[in-house]
Amino acid sequence: MITFYIFIFLPFLFAFLVPFLYKYLNRQVHTGWFVLFVPLSIFIYLVEYIPAVASGATFEYTLSWIPSFGIDITSYMDGLSLLFGLLITGVGSLVIIYSIYYMSKVREALHNFYIYLLMFMGAMLGLVFSDHLLVLYGFWELTSVSSFLLIAYWYERKGSRQGALKALLITVLGGFGMLAGFIMLIMMGDTFSIREIIANMDAIQGHALFIPALLCILLGAFTKSAQFPFGIWLPDAMEAPTPVSSYLHSATMVKAGIYLVARMTPIFGGSAVWFWLVAGIGLVTLLYGSLTALRQTDLKALLAYSTISQLGLIMSLLGIGSLAVYFGPGETGTVFTVATFAAVFHLFNHSTFKGSLFMVVGIIDHETGRRDIRYLGGLMQVMPITFTIALIGGFSMAGLPPFNGFLSKEMFFAAVNDVSHAGIFGLNKIGMLFPIIAWVASIFTFVYCMIFIFKTFGGAYRPERLTREVHEAPLGMLISPIILGLLVILIFFFPNVLGEYILIPALTAILPGMPISGHDVKISAWHGLNTELIMTIGVVVIGLLLFRTARRWIQVMRNYPQGLTLNHFYNQGLSGMEKRSASLTDRYMTGSLRHYLIYIFSFFVLLLMSSLLLLHGIQIDFSNNAAISIYEVGLVIAMIIAAFTVLLASNRILAIVSLSVLGYMVSMFFVIFRAPDLALTQMVVETVTTVLFLLCFYHLPKMTKKIERIPFKLTNLVISVAVGLTVTLLALSANGHKLFEPITSFFENAYELAGAKNIVNAILVDFRGFDTMLEISVLTIAGLGVYILVHQRVKRRGQREIK
Amino acid sequence: MIFEIILTIALCLLMLAIMANVYRVIKGPSSADRVQALDSIGINLIASIAIFSVLLHTHAFFDLILLIGILSFIGTVAFARFIERGVVIERKQ
């Protein structure tokens, strides 16, 4: 168990070493050579699991993390996670070899690059091996963050920063959606473990949260896997260094969403919503990606859109495959099991050929200084090896024999043909659309693959358009694409080896409970002249025609109005949101204290009044009140007059004097209500305050010292009357309702308890001396504050400190 | 009993006097009038508190009477200085 965790967390652990290796050894050895050891050793470790997993065994490991909340790093290895694990570490090793030759030892900050890459690798491994939903989410976000860091690796470029920001915004939006979905799933299944949720599916099926959870989780999967319409971040992520594009944005990270959909198929598969969303959006993405790829002139952008399109293909196959859960074991179910198999198969194939294609683009970029097909051409003679690899990868992507893309594309056609007459979920009406869309999209795929290969390598060689002296790439840079290209061919000739050892265990993991025999999913390159083959021949014929005439219509495609692209809507939405929120904030955050006081008081009145009225809180009871004597009435009248004088005073001296009259009256009230200490204090404080007011009055600036009364404003009047009314009502209602006896009787024993005859003072310094202490601190702070304000004036420009 | 009624009447009369002073405070017309009225309110308050203490049979408020005497004096002097010189406390030259 501990070996497993050491290997899974090895990237994180090794990331700590990278800066030291870079700092002390980079002069001699490229840091990448040290890093290469990490994925390679994990790959070898995972390979050892293949025989066991192929024979149906699964492995489970638990590392305690937060046991009191039931959060453990539970790892589960079955066919699906092993497939992803092998892809991540295998492609990861190749990408690191490639990056050693691609990234300059002298010019680049390699330690940053490899730390981010290792972080990503560790996160991805953690993601695919997690059985715990929340831990899975944690690793999921870590892949978003490390991808963000990698896209913005050349952070001094504007495009990199924008691309990184866009990728982060979209994938994290999906990630949050997914978290919500996971939490709903946890609530429904009452467990964190994916396998336990699958095990008791009955509790979940009819649950009210089933559909919301499904939608939220799909949002996460679609944003990560660049499905329509969330795919727009992927082309912008091409600002990253090419090894990163090759690794993250073709082989691994974008497949995290695919992994999630595959993982969740046993739970949600079989429902109509899931089928239509996954298969439908997948098909739309397939068509959208292939159409948009045609318009691109930048090779990396073309590959990015082709990645989107291929991911759509895999997604739609997973959607079709989810019908197997609906039909269950049986003949019909088995037909759709093959669709899922095709999905897994194409997933693997796509990683191989797309990885190599990105590396080819990187080589072209590196050797010619150009990535735009309008400047490239005729590289066939100059770079024969690169051309061969591009040819293999491109033909495989187009779905031609003898490359592995052909096999999975045939299986894809078979799946869409099968689904067109499945006869459920309304498929009998519009099921025919599936093969048509798939076929049309495949034609476009074929065309852009041809464009990719022949516009770059075919035609005339024009060195004057290129910025560098062109020659074949160094061998080290070619190692990884050659290995991937060889895999592409090998898989075509020996597909069943891969199928038996890796793909069928993965299939068993996606569709548990389906009897899968090797016979059902046997891949064969030739199975007679059937519909699928005719479709492929049609693709090639029409595709060639379109490619021949490309010059005439491709300009029409490129002139597609910029205003109708998804990117345009995204940018508009983002800037619109910023503008809206800025104008909203400007509207209510006016900077005027009067406005803020209006908000505060209105809410005060609104909350208290509505709760008083709604809860029938206004109950005024005068029965326990003391009698009112005549001099009290006189005092109150005098106070009211003084208060109104403050409001209506025509000059400030009058207001100050009236205020001190008011204060003296209050102290008189303290006398009447038998509070000598209060009366004393009130008297002194009132006098001091008046003096302070006079001080302020004297220092008013001459220019604006207009002598005028407070201007009348209706809003102020309404709000102040409402506040007064509210407080009065509240006080009167509270007065009539004493729920329990006051604790005064305790303090009356002040003499026995504290040796004091004065209760008030005993309370202040003995019973509740703590408050007094803090009030003393308040006074100290106020005194110090005033002192600092007066003495420590900040010097203004050109003005000397005034002592 | 009669004694208490007399005291209450006295209190009420003092209240009336305070009200009259408040009127003077408001009406003005000059600041000096207002300060005078304020001083007078202080003295009336002293008287009211004294009568009130008799009425309540307590000597808890005697401190207050003294205090008002002092404060009313200080307050009036402060106001007077303010009206005359514009400042209450002058800086050392």
Side-chain angles (χ1 to χ4, degrees), chain A residues 101 120 126 169 229 242 394 437 455-456 476 566 614 658 689 691 792:
Chain A
Y101 291 94
F120 170 78
L169 281 178
T242 304
I437 294 178
K455 294 273 174 193
T456 319
L566 287 174
L614 286 175
S658 311
T689 319
V691 173
Q792 306 283 323

Side-chain angles (χ1 to χ4, degrees), chain A residues 630-632 634-635 637-638 641-642 645 650-651 653-654 656-658 660-661 664-665 667-668 670-677 679-681 683-685 687 690-691 694-695 697-699 803, chain B residues 8 11-12 15 18-19 22-23 25-28 31 34-35 38 41-42 45 48-49 52-53 55-56 60-61 63-65 67-68 71-72 74-75 78-79 82-83 85-89 91:
Chain A
I630 187 153
Y631 46 85
E632 286 167 359
L635 261 183
I637 291 169
I641 292 167
T645 317
S650 58
N651 65 59
I653 280 277
L654 177 55
I656 294 169
V657 173
S658 311
S660 71
V661 170
Y664 289 144
M665 295 299 168
S667 96
M668 193 60 210
F670 288 142
V671 172
I672 294 173
F673 295 136
R674 296 163 184 73
D677 298 294
L680 268 174
T681 319
M683 213 65 186
V684 179
V685 170
T687 313
T690 311
V691 173
L694 285 173
L695 203 70
F697 176 73
Y698 174 73
H699 284 291
K803 287 245 171 166
Chain B
T8 313
L11 262 181
C12 290
M15 275 308 121
I18 288 175
M19 303 261 279
V22 170
Y23 170 76
V25 166
I26 295 162
K27 196 69 189 166
S31 294
R34 294 189 175 117
V35 175
L38 203 62
I41 287 179
L45 277 179
S48 329
I49 293 168
F52 205 75
S53 301
L55 205 61
L56 291 177
F61 295 110
D63 303 340
L64 189 59
I65 292 171
L67 187 80
I68 296 177
L71 286 182
S72 144
I74 295 173
F79 264 118
F82 179 74
I83 291 164
R85 304 195 184 170
V87 280
V88 180
I89 301 163
R91 284 168 208 263

